[in-house]
Amino acid sequence: MLGVTDTEPPDDETPDGLLGWCLVANVARETLHGEGRLELQHGTKHFRAGTLLWLPRVRWDPGHCRWPAVGRHRGNSRRYVRMIVRAEDLENFRVKGVYSEALVRGLNGYDHDPAAPRTLRNPWTRECAQSWADSWKVRREPVFIEGHPYARLRISVPNPPPQEIQLDGETLHLAHYGTKGARYSRTAPPVERVPEL
């Protein structure tokens, strides 16, 4: 694909045409949406599954585990668009080189200076971007709690998830574990009765 590289240049060498480094990820194959997060979709509303998204370094937090992202829109794959995406809808975090002025324009957003079209504002260092990519590769599962006013809490559990967790002095039981996280319930699982012979 034009504008990206997967090759790793030697540490003392900068590739020709490199405008900067960026944290990137792909849109997950399956994403959860809707009430109770029970609706399974392929990709997101704005991006197809597998779409490469560029994650600019930002000075503000758009919301817990949400990032601005630049990628090619589902409806018009020729232009870059900037949207806020959920981190849980992303996978395969890594670092890539930026070579395209159009991509620089998208990454800079409102801070873009037409007089300096090849200059990234608030750029990533390669080491910082790699550190973020590595931290998102550690597999943790988001937690959903049935009957909680906020179905998805800002907590996670190890993979595989434990059968029970303690939250605010309450014991919660694993009700379902799937591709998009662990679902816990206040109700204990039914006890299987073994028929007597």
Side-chain angles (χ1 to χ4, degrees):
M1 176 195 279
L2 189 61
V4 299
T5 181
D6 280 322
T7 59
E8 297 295 325
D11 290 335
D12 60 345
E13 193 178 310
T14 301
D16 291 338
L18 179 71
L19 304 177
W21 298 103
C22 193
L23 177 65
V24 300
N26 295 95
V27 175
R29 300 291 171 199
E30 295 179 344
T31 57
L32 294 174
H33 300 273
E35 189 176 331
R37 309 189 50 78
L38 298 174
E39 182 183 331
L40 184 68
Q41 291 182 3
H42 299 286
T44 68
K45 178 180 179 182
H46 297 288
F47 299 109
R48 287 188 173 94
T51 298
L52 177 68
L53 295 184
W54 300 79
L55 308 170
R57 191 167 174 220
V58 292
R59 296 183 184 101
W60 54 275
D61 182 3
H64 179 72
C65 290
R66 292 178 181 267
W67 282 330
V70 175
R72 298 193 187 271
H73 195 273
R74 184 185 281 271
N76 180 357
S77 62
R78 293 178 2 180
R79 295 184 54 152
Y80 286 109
V81 296
R82 187 178 179 117
M83 301 279 175
I84 302 296
V85 296
R86 300 177 309 181
E88 67 191 80
D89 292 341
L90 303 177
E91 61 189 10
N92 194 18
F93 289 85
R94 60 204 185 278
V95 179
K96 283 187 171 272
V98 177
Y99 292 86
S100 161
E101 285 185 24
L103 181 55
V104 168
R105 201 169 34 252
L107 290 169
N108 287 342
Y110 293 113
D111 290 338
H112 187 67
D113 181 3
R118 299 173 59 82
T119 303
L120 278 168
R121 304 284 179 216
N122 194 28
W124 287 98
T125 64
R126 188 175 187 182
E127 297 75 22
C128 184
Q130 188 61 56
S131 174
W132 275 78
D134 293 343
S135 72
W136 279 95
K137 288 179 184 174
V138 176
R139 186 74 172 147
R140 291 194 59 87
E141 300 296 337
V143 170
F144 301 86
I145 298 176
E146 294 173 3
H148 194 278
Y150 302 101
R152 187 191 185 295
L153 297 181
R154 297 177 181 186
I155 60 173
S156 59
V157 293
N159 180 342
Q163 292 295 315
E164 293 180 348
I165 60 172
Q166 294 290 323
L167 184 65
D168 297 330
E170 188 176 15
T171 301
L172 301 173
H173 307 276
L174 183 63
H176 175 76
Y177 174 54
T179 60
K180 287 297 176 183
R183 205 169 283 279
Y184 284 86
S185 172
R186 291 179 173 89
T187 307
V191 178
E192 279 191 43
R193 300 194 75 136
V194 179
E196 294 181 17
L197 297 176

